């Protein structure tokens, strides 16, 4: 699970039956893909056999290129781009977490055999494939898994914010012991029973990324190798050294540490000013699919307009399609040798989230009232947003579970609006709780805690006004925010909006462990989250979650999320999603298709292109043809 700002981090999704509705809503642009159902556009079968060599140009998300290289901490200190277009290409997760449009674990691309669970899931045995090698010739081994766990524990002990997705009581806290029963077998002992689906999706496929213990077990450049990295003191010293090395962005391409990889590519150049990066094929790669292309150049963009201009000029082999550019697709597909395009909603969700910590104008007291959140939810017109901002290339979404075409969890998605667009209903909710319009401003005129009062802590005469920060790319994000502002104005609610680049926004409105910005924002929209193999909102809406940026705190939500993570109730996920959709820690937004476009001269299996819609990049599957 990662955050997503129109790309992976991000962590956005829907389809299934809803996907068919989306296709129907934009039939003038859509063709159902025969290879993967429910898609926007189509993925043609390869027209040539794989060839070797060549350079592929690929578009980084506008304003969201990779900015941190150390795999343990990159997601917390940088953008989502690190995961899917940077470190995943160089350092493979223990279990590869997707197969194109069907969110699952692809064991054929994983470093280990399927895990064996025992003792009520408190014992996990993992057998690594002896065939995987590091680029320095060493075998990817059990020690590398233990190394990652030791450094993760050291990272969390220093600062919980050091580890992406950290939630107290989960990884790495839940590991009582981690041992190697032989050089290729890891045995994990956990402190309690966890849901096996959660363990595979979140802990094994997301949290554990084996790192080269034989090369990185040092505390100084050229220093001696420390074999006892499990010692907390040694693990801390190693972690601190590697973190410091990663902070030196200008040396990413030259530092020998980052050249030891087990993925299909390795870093060649990195522009610390723009975040553009070039990766070359790892000739020592021992995975199932050897890279066909020689190099992938990931180009940086300051705007989606600049990226699209390069598509129209034929300068990009693979790029993304912003919704404002959908009308130009017919022109784009005829550019140069021609382009193909395809889109799907990604698993996860998009949202505008509230800051329950912001005391400015008593916003924390106001937004703490559920009726207020319900009123704001009634101001969102998903149908209009889908037709307008997304040009029909999106599906409705009302909570945390996506209904992606091949997802086993699609049946759990809420398909009817809980709080349908209704400005009069919003007005009624506010007026029935003691709010009236005075001099054009919605004002609390009946303070108190009764059923017809404004609520605890909201004083007489308090005006309802707040600020809203949002990511300026893609344009659809701003359009949704502006639509909410316009609807709120009809109630007398004043919302002051300010756009930021994605990287700027997350330093303001994504700081769980730093209170310095608590009163700088009341609502925010960076996009959402994607990458749910097991769609619990754990770490996002539980009160101890590392991504609970707005400090939402509901004992009932905590209990339901706990049941999804630890329990065996088959209905736990739907109970969790239903409650969160009703309680509204955020306003949930439509799930847009993530549409990618690529030259017809760029060839590969269908999954290598449909996986882009889920923010997974597998350029090792691609090859170039002149025809």
């Amino acid at each position: 699970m990662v955050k997503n700002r129109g790309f992976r981090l991000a962590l956005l999704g829907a389809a299934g039956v809803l996907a068919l509705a989306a296709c129907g809503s934009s039939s003038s642009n859509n063709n159902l893909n025969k290879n993967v159902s429910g898609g926007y556009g189509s993925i043609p079968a390869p027209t040539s056999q794989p060839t070797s060599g060549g350079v592929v140009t690929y578009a980084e998300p506008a304003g969201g290129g990779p900015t941190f290289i150390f795999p343990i901490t990159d997601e917390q200190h940088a953008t989502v781009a690190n995961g899917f277009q940077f470190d995943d290409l160089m350092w493979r997760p223990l279990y590869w977490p997707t197969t194109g449009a069907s969110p699952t674990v692809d064991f054929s691309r994983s470093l280990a055999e399927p895990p064996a669970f025992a003792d009520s899931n408190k014992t996990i045995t993992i057998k690594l494939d002896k065939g995987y090698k590091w680029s320095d010739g060493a075998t990817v081994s059990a020690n590398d898994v233990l190394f990652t766990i030791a450094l993760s524990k050291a990272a969390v002990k220093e600062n919980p914010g050091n580890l992406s997705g950290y939630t107290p009581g989960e990884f790495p806290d839940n590991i009582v012991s981690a041992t190697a029963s032989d050089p290729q077998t890891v045995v994990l002992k956990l402190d309690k029973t966890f849901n096996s689906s959660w363990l595979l999706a979140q802990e094994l496929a997301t949290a554990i990324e084996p790192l080269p213990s034989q090369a990185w077990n040092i505390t100084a450049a050229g220093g001696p190798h420390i074999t006892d990295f499990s010692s907390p003191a040694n693990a801390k010293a190693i972690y601190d050294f590697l973190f410091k090395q990663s902070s030196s962005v200008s040396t990413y391409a030259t530092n020998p540490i980052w050249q030891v990889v087990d993925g299909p590519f390795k870093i060649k150049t990195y522009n610390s000013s723009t975040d553009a990066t070039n990766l070359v094929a790892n000739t020592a790669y021992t995975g199932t699919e050897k890279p066909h292309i020689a190099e992938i150049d990931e180009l940086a963009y300051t705007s989606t307009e600049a990226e699209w201009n390069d598509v129209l000029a034929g300068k990009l082999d693979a790029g993304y399609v912003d919704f404002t550019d959908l009308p130009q697709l017919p022109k784009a597909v005829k550019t140069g040798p021609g382009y193909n395009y395809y889109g799907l909603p990604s698993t996860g969700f998009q949202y505008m989230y509230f800051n329950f910590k912001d005391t400015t104008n008593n916003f924390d007291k106001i937004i703490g009232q559920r009726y207020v959140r319900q009123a704001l939810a009634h101001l969102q017109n998903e149908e209009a947003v889908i037709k307008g901002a997304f040009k029909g290339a999106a599906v409705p979404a009302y909570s945390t579970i996506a209904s992606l075409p091949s997802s086993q969890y699609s049946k759990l998605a809420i398909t009817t609006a809980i709080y349908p667009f209704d400005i009069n209903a919003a007005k009624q909710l506010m007026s029935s709780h003691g709010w009236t319009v005075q001099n054009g401003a919605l004002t609390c005129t009946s303070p108190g805690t009764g059923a017809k009062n404004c609520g605890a802590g909201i004083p007489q005469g308090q005006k309802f006004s707040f600020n809203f920060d949002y990511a300026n790319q893609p344009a659809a994000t701003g359009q949704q925010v502006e639509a909410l502002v316009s609807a709120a104005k009809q109630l007398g609610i004043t919302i002051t909006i300010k756009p930021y680049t994605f990287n700027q926004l997350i330093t303001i409105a994504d700081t769980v462990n730093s209170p310095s910005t608590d009163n700088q924002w009341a609502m925010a929209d960076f996009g959402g989250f994607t990458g749910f193999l097991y769609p619990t909102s754990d770490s996002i809406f539980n009160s101890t979650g590392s991504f609970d940026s707005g400090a939402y705190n509901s004992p009932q939500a905590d209990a339901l999320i706990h049941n999804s993570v630890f329990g065996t109730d088959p209905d736990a996920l739907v109970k969790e999603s239903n409650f969160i959709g009703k309680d509204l820690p955020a306003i949930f937004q439509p799930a847009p298709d993530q549409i990618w476009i690529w030259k017809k001269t760029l060839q590969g299996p269908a999954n290598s292109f449909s996986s882009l819609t889920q923010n997974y990049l597998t350029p090792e599957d691609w090859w170039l043809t002149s025809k």
Side-chain angles (χ1 to χ4, degrees):
M1 171 193 63
V2 283
K3 287 181 185 160
N4 182 302
R5 298 59 171 162
F7 34 95
R8 189 178 110 187
L9 177 90
L11 292 172
L12 308 186
V17 175
L18 292 179
L20 301 179
C23 292
S25 67
S26 53
S27 58
S28 60
N29 294 321
N30 266 341
N31 292 308
L32 270 178
N33 175 26
K34 295 179 181 179
N35 299 314
V36 183
S37 65
Y40 188 101
S42 61
I43 306 176
T47 58
S48 68
Q49 294 299 310
T51 58
S52 299
V55 177
V56 169
T57 53
Y58 171 92
E60 291 179 353
T67 58
F68 209 80
I69 200 170
F70 187 21
I72 284 182
T73 53
D74 65 1
E75 293 283 4
Q76 199 71 14
H77 291 267
T79 73
V80 63
N82 283 43
F84 82 97
Q85 64 183 37
F86 202 51
D87 79 26
D88 280 357
L89 299 183
M90 296 185 281
W91 300 287
R92 288 308 215 201
L94 185 60
Y95 291 102
W96 188 251
T98 191
T99 54
S102 179
T104 185
V105 169
D106 183 355
F107 291 108
S108 71
R109 291 182 187 265
S110 298
L111 301 180
E113 297 174 3
F117 297 100
D119 187 24
S120 299
N121 298 339
K122 289 189 287 187
T123 299
I124 309 173
T125 302
I126 302 163
K127 192 167 187 61
L128 281 88
D129 185 339
K130 292 181 181 179
Y132 273 93
K133 304 284 186 181
W134 294 104
S135 53
D136 63 2
T139 299
V140 178
S141 70
N143 260 354
D144 301 324
V145 175
L146 304 185
F147 185 63
T148 295
I149 293 170
L151 295 193
S152 298
K153 285 180 176 286
V156 167
K157 188 172 183 180
E158 279 194 18
N159 184 341
N162 284 340
L163 189 64
S164 174
Y166 171 70
T167 298
E170 297 177 9
F171 179 83
D173 299 348
N174 62 353
I175 297 179
V176 175
S177 68
T179 56
S181 59
D182 64 50
Q184 295 304 114
T185 305
V186 176
V187 178
L188 303 179
K189 297 286 187 179
L190 307 185
D191 60 355
K192 61 180 73 71
T193 295
F194 286 77
N195 182 295
S196 59
S197 295
W198 181 90
L199 282 170
L200 178 58
Q202 293 300 104
E203 189 139 336
L204 303 181
T206 301
I208 299 179
E209 189 167 346
L211 301 176
S213 58
Q214 80 291 345
W216 289 10
N217 59 345
I218 55 178
T219 59
H225 291 271
I226 299 172
T227 56
D228 183 18
F229 53 74
S230 62
S231 158
N234 289 343
K236 179 184 185 308
I238 295 168
Y239 170 81
D240 288 345
F241 169 70
L242 293 172
F243 183 92
K244 186 175 181 181
Q245 296 299 296
S246 193
S247 300
S248 178
V249 295
S250 63
T251 64
Y252 283 0
T254 57
N255 191 327
I257 290 174
W258 315 127
Q259 293 296 315
V260 182
V261 302
D262 64 345
F265 292 87
K266 60 196 309 184
I267 193 166
K268 175 185 177 184
T269 64
Y270 178 81
N271 187 320
S272 57
S273 297
T274 66
D275 307 332
T277 187
N278 296 343
L279 298 152
V280 293
N282 171 18
T283 56
Y285 181 58
T286 53
T288 54
E289 187 66 40
K290 308 298 188 293
H292 302 295
I293 61 173
E295 181 174 330
I296 180 168
D297 291 352
E298 299 177 350
L299 308 184
Y301 292 95
T302 57
S303 68
T304 57
E305 291 84 0
E307 183 265 352
W308 187 247
N309 286 337
D310 272 5
V311 170
L312 294 179
K315 296 179 180 179
L316 269 174
D317 292 308
Y320 48 87
V321 184
D322 186 71
F323 299 98
T324 57
D325 300 320
L326 285 180
Q328 298 185 67
L329 269 178
K331 177 181 179 181
V333 298
K334 298 177 182 178
T335 300
Y339 279 92
N340 299 308
Y341 62 89
Y342 185 67
L344 274 179
S346 65
T347 56
F349 59 86
Q350 293 217 52
Y351 69 162
M352 309 174 184
Y353 58 107
F354 304 115
N355 181 6
F356 295 88
K357 301 171 290 185
D358 182 16
T359 60
T360 308
N361 294 325
N362 289 303
F363 183 78
D364 58 332
K365 304 296 191 304
I366 298 172
I367 209 63
Q369 305 299 316
R370 186 173 176 180
Y371 75 86
V372 172
R373 303 195 299 275
Q374 291 171 333
L376 290 174
H378 276 303
L379 300 180
Q380 181 186 221
N381 189 340
E382 287 212 17
E383 273 190 38
V385 167
I386 291 172
K387 291 178 181 177
F390 295 122
K391 306 293 190 293
V395 294
Y398 307 112
S399 189
T400 55
I401 296 181
S403 53
L404 185 72
S406 305
S407 171
Q408 61 180 309
Y409 300 108
S410 295
K411 62 182 180 295
L412 304 182
I414 299 170
T415 57
T416 302
I418 303 172
Y419 304 103
F421 176 63
D422 190 335
I423 290 179
N424 287 331
K427 288 180 179 179
Q428 176 61 28
L429 278 167
M430 299 305 292
S431 64
S432 66
H433 287 86
W435 293 83
T436 58
V437 177
Q438 294 186 342
N439 298 320
L442 190 63
T443 306
C444 175
T445 53
S446 181
T449 58
K452 296 183 179 181
N453 300 131
C454 301
I458 304 174
Q460 174 84 28
Q462 176 66 61
K463 294 178 172 59
F464 193 5
S465 64
F466 59 92
N467 68 330
F468 194 144
D469 298 341
Y470 66 95
N472 61 1
Q473 301 287 341
T477 300
Q479 291 169 9
Q480 291 179 90
V481 172
E482 289 168 359
L484 183 73
V485 171
S486 177
K489 189 175 181 180
Q490 296 185 52
L491 272 69
I493 302 172
T494 300
I495 306 176
T496 303
I497 59 175
K498 187 173 182 179
Y500 292 90
T501 67
F502 167 69
N503 286 346
Q504 291 172 334
L505 180 60
I506 61 172
T507 65
I508 299 169
D510 193 33
T511 52
V512 173
N513 298 295
S514 174
S516 61
T517 63
D518 283 356
N519 292 320
Q520 293 182 26
W521 63 283
M523 285 188 72
D525 186 350
F526 59 67
F529 290 82
T530 189
F532 289 94
L533 295 180
Y534 180 73
T536 174
S537 57
D538 177 54
S539 84
I540 304 172
F541 291 135
N542 47 333
S543 57
T544 57
S546 58
F547 294 128
D548 183 21
S549 304
Y552 171 67
N553 188 344
S554 164
Q556 188 170 349
D558 284 353
L560 292 169
I561 292 169
H562 182 274
N563 289 343
S564 293
V565 173
F566 299 99
T568 58
D569 179 1
D571 295 324
L573 282 172
V574 74
K575 290 175 183 176
E576 172 195 331
S577 179
N578 285 349
F579 174 78
I580 287 173
K582 292 174 182 176
D583 200 48
L584 295 170
I587 297 176
F588 294 96
Q589 300 170 305
D593 288 332
Q594 296 199 82
I595 304 170
W596 287 82
I597 189 167
W598 63 96
K599 284 184 179 178
K600 292 183 177 180
T601 51
L602 184 62
Q603 302 270 298
N607 270 359
S608 69
F609 297 106
S610 65
S611 64
L612 290 173
T613 70
Q614 307 308 304
N615 299 304
Y616 285 96
L617 176 64
T618 56
E620 64 270 24
D621 293 334
W622 293 343
W623 65 88
L624 290 166
T625 177
S626 59
K627 298 181 181 179

